[in-house]
Amino acid sequence: MRLLLVEDDPGMAAMLLRGLRREGYSIDAVTGGEDAMWSVLEIDYDVVVLDAMIPAPDGFEVCRRMRERSRWMPVLMLTARDTVADRIGGLDAGADDYLVKPFAIEELFARLRALIRRKPLERPAVLRVDDLVLDPSTHSVRRGDADIRLSPKEFELLRELMGRPGEVLSRSHLIDHVWDFAYEGGSNIVDVYVRYLRDKVDRPFGRDTIRTVRGAGYRITPGG
């Protein structure tokens, strides 16, 4: 497994390199955002371990640019900050998982294994629900002829809903599949992001595609 480590703290980088090599990873290590971007655009890594607070562009921006350039390798973001805003910022930038320093190295290994297990799943083809179209390859969404700009996390939530049209998806299902198993916040984050989506893909077009099923979750409904 080939891994990119982006960490500018020498002590932390040395500790991670020793541990990850013992686990059998082949590792490229860089310390700043520019080198990280060059690496992920040139090399198909199996997973990226990305510190949030690196020399500019920071980890949030690196992750955001990766997704904009359709670089979909899993990203585990590391940070010393543990506020809700920081966690949401990392996930919203497109990170797959989020680990707060200090952490046990065994937990990092476990989270990497979980991310890598998900990687072989093929990303779906273009998804359509009536005139709402989502294209994973270009990370684009449109309703009819109108382009809709979504954040990475909004995009992932809409993709999960559109991938199962008519099916009721619980909040816990959406957290597990969009925010990943390690997310430690409350389920109300799903309600917040569903509201964001409705404000972008439904209400401006007079549609009611994303439905609430009281006590059960959400579903996307053709003909809504």
Side-chain angles (χ1 to χ4, degrees):
M1 291 290 178
R2 191 167 187 180
L3 178 149
L4 176 65
L5 173 63
V6 188
E7 172 61 71
D8 67 323
D9 180 83
M12 176 64 71
M15 184 270 289
L16 292 174
L17 284 168
R18 286 194 303 270
L20 291 165
R21 283 172 177 154
R22 283 198 304 269
E23 289 292 298
Y25 291 97
S26 173
I27 305 169
D28 295 335
V30 298
T31 60
E34 293 295 343
D35 288 339
M37 280 307 306
W38 183 90
S39 298
V40 297
L41 292 176
E42 293 295 322
I43 300 168
D44 290 324
Y45 292 100
D46 294 290
V47 66
V48 177
V49 177
L50 175 62
D51 186 65
M53 296 295 103
I54 54 174
D58 66 16
F60 299 104
E61 183 62 21
V62 168
C63 194
R64 189 175 296 109
R65 292 184 191 179
M66 284 175 58
R67 301 321 190 201
E68 289 174 352
R69 298 288 293 272
S70 297
R71 302 301 283 166
W72 297 113
M73 62 276 286
V75 173
L76 174 59
M77 186 168 284
L78 308 179
T79 181
R81 302 190 305 191
D82 188 24
T83 68
V84 172
D86 288 325
R87 289 199 299 270
I88 291 175
L91 296 169
D92 205 35
D96 297 275
D97 199 0
Y98 193 99
L99 190 56
V100 177
K101 301 175 182 177
F103 51 82
I105 191 72
E106 291 80 7
E107 182 179 4
L108 180 136
F109 297 157
R111 295 196 185 197
L112 289 176
R113 288 193 296 269
L115 291 177
I116 291 168
R117 281 198 300 270
R118 296 193 326 177
K119 185 175 181 290
L121 298 176
E122 291 184 2
R123 291 187 174 265
V126 173
L127 299 176
R128 300 176 187 272
V129 175
D130 295 334
D131 62 344
L132 183 62
V133 180
L134 181 149
D135 187 345
S137 65
T138 60
H139 208 260
S140 62
V141 176
R142 67 179 187 275
R143 170 81 81 176
D145 295 329
D147 292 326
I148 301 172
R149 188 175 182 84
L150 300 180
S151 72
K153 197 56 61 179
E154 291 166 353
F155 183 90
E156 293 297 326
L157 177 57
L158 182 62
R159 187 176 66 167
E160 186 66 23
L161 290 165
M162 290 182 68
R164 300 169 179 263
E167 183 177 340
V168 178
L169 303 182
S170 69
R171 289 171 178 81
S172 61
H173 171 97
L174 292 169
I175 286 174
D176 287 345
H177 289 75
V178 178
W179 279 266
D180 203 22
F181 79 97
Y183 173 71
E184 297 176 351
S187 63
N188 64 324
I189 194 171
V190 176
D191 305 326
V192 171
Y193 272 83
V194 166
R195 185 169 69 249
Y196 293 163
L197 276 181
R198 285 172 170 157
D199 286 343
K200 293 183 178 182
V201 305
D202 274 354
R203 292 192 178 102
F205 305 93
R207 306 297 290 273
D208 186 23
T209 306
I210 303 172
R211 304 283 183 88
T212 301
V213 180
R214 188 176 298 275
Y218 297 97
R219 70 181 172 201
I220 194 157
T221 305

